[in-house]
Amino acid sequence: VQLQASGGGLVQSGGSLRLSCAASGFIFEDFSVGWFRQAPGKGREGVSCINFRGDAAFYVDPVKGRFTISRDNAKKMVYLQMNSLKPEDTAVYYCATCTVVDGIWPGDRWGQGTLVTVSS
């Protein structure tokens, strides 16, 4: 099982980045997948989760209206378009399978993260 995130980098406050995640080793289209992040000195938190069909997406309040998740089941890819980035969005971003029950929770399929740094 692999979920390889990419697309991170250094961006100024107010800028945009698009993260990508390539999945392999499991039946991608059977799972909800999403993004999580871990800021320096903090725990890992859910950011967004999209269902297996790609027609329902969930976001945590701090990113609503700024981030958009999408997926391409044919390519086994999930994306996170991040606009209006803020310094508090600085974190390592991971993709993983996910569930949404009173919050966004990771499944047991994780990948390596990609670092997003937002300068003020």
Side-chain angles (χ1 to χ4, degrees), residues 13-98:
S13 182
S16 298
L17 280 175
R18 188 192 193 209
L19 304 184
S20 299
C21 177
S24 62
F26 66 104
I27 304 174
F28 179 75
E29 57 268 32
D30 283 355
F31 290 86
S32 297
V33 287
W35 292 92
F36 298 79
R37 66 185 180 185
Q38 186 165 17
K42 295 187 178 181
R44 196 169 292 182
E45 65 169 346
V47 175
S48 182
C49 181
I50 188 167
N51 73 340
F52 66 100
R53 286 190 302 269
D55 59 2
F58 305 89
Y59 302 90
V60 292
D61 285 346
V63 308
K64 282 181 180 177
R66 300 189 297 123
F67 291 11
T68 303
I69 191 171
S70 61
R71 67 187 293 163
D72 185 332
N73 284 347
K75 295 181 179 179
K76 301 186 186 302
M77 296 288 294
V78 59
Y79 306 98
L80 187 68
Q81 178 66 43
M82 305 187 295
N83 298 328
S84 302
L85 282 161
K86 304 175 181 181
E88 52 263 44
D89 295 318
T90 295
V92 177
Y93 284 72
Y94 302 86
C95 55
T97 56
C98 55

